[in-house]
Amino acid sequence: MIIVTSDHGEEFLEHGGWEHQKTLYEEQIRVPLIVKRSQNRHRRQRIGQQVSLIDIAPTVLADLGLLSPTTFQGTNLLPLLEGGESAPTTVWSETEHTLDGSHKLAVRRGANAGKAIFSLLAMDRNRDLVELYDLSRDPGESMDLAGESPTSVKQERLELDRYLGLLAEWRLHATRSVPVELTPEQLDKLRALGYAR
């Protein structure tokens, strides 16, 4: 199996900025996922359903005939590749490397559905910002609908609170990993790539 993907996109002034990690607009989080299986199974098949990068590991393990550990949150995509249906996927994204100092989370409810972007301001949760987009009509996210729909904003805030609660619960029960000691050379390489300070 060969898989081609990316951990993030790149912004080139679509929303006024450069680089990545700063926002959660589509140019940053919508990435390709190309899967080539042995014997060219499912060749040239295109699937329009939204999936997540956390689905890759369970898919690879399933292709090898192995079960995923219970700690995995992703979904095996092989049934989808084989023409089956899979449940609609809600995908969350996040970044803390923003220009305004906020912690951003975004939720997409499908490839061409609604999307909410939350800017969490740690000092005052009442000032948290919510942006709403209809990706089917506005794939470039140029029309924030939050001002037109206070009810939707309220529903999205409730959904965010539920999600943050699930994360807190998961962290309580997650298996603690063993700390990794990196060599100075490894740290230098990570710094050069922008992944360490």
Side-chain angles (χ1 to χ4, degrees):
M1 177 182 276
I2 299 170
I3 296 176
V4 178
T5 191
S6 175
D7 57 341
H8 58 76
E10 202 72 23
E11 182 177 1
F12 295 102
L13 295 176
E14 290 90 344
H15 288 91
W18 289 96
E19 301 179 336
H20 58 273
Q21 294 182 326
K22 310 291 190 276
T23 71
L24 293 174
Y25 296 113
E26 292 297 282
E27 61 268 12
Q28 303 256 347
I29 64 173
R30 189 170 182 161
V31 297
L33 176 59
I34 302 167
V35 178
K36 182 190 182 305
R37 296 184 70 200
S38 59
Q39 291 88 40
N40 284 324
R41 289 181 283 173
H42 317 306
R43 187 175 170 189
R44 297 181 190 226
Q45 182 179 0
R46 184 181 177 121
I47 297 171
Q49 183 170 330
Q50 172 176 280
V51 297
S52 176
L53 293 178
I54 64 172
D55 299 330
I56 294 173
T59 303
V60 170
L61 290 177
D63 197 54
L64 294 170
L66 302 171
L67 294 175
S68 294
T70 57
T71 56
F72 278 24
Q73 297 177 37
T75 302
N76 167 17
L77 299 176
L78 291 184
L80 190 59
L81 289 173
E82 292 164 359
E85 294 282 326
S86 72
T89 304
T90 296
V91 174
W92 286 88
S93 306
E94 70 177 307
T95 186
E96 293 179 336
H97 301 282
T98 60
L99 296 174
D100 64 4
S102 68
H103 179 165
K104 292 191 185 300
L105 288 106
V107 60
R108 292 174 90 237
R109 295 204 165 61
N112 294 306
K115 176 179 176 183
I117 300 174
F118 306 93
S119 296
L120 308 183
L121 303 163
M123 300 304 289
D124 183 359
R125 287 296 309 268
N126 293 323
R127 289 183 47 232
D128 290 348
L129 302 175
V130 181
E131 299 170 56
L132 299 178
Y133 297 99
D134 179 349
L135 297 177
S136 65
R137 292 186 329 200
D138 180 24
E141 297 163 300
S142 60
M143 297 179 293
D144 180 3
L145 304 173
E148 299 172 16
S149 184
T151 303
S152 294
V153 168
K154 191 174 187 176
Q155 289 171 337
E156 292 295 347
R157 286 181 190 271
L158 290 172
E159 187 66 27
L160 172 67
D161 288 340
R162 276 193 289 275
Y163 177 70
L164 292 176
L166 284 173
L167 282 181
E169 182 71 21
W170 179 78
R171 286 184 180 118
L172 280 176
H173 301 292
T175 305
R176 300 289 176 223
S177 59
V178 177
V180 175
E181 293 293 324
L182 299 175
T183 67
E185 294 81 18
Q186 291 169 323
L187 282 171
D188 286 343
K189 286 180 182 178
L190 289 173
R191 281 188 198 99
L193 293 169
Y195 291 111
R197 295 178 187 195

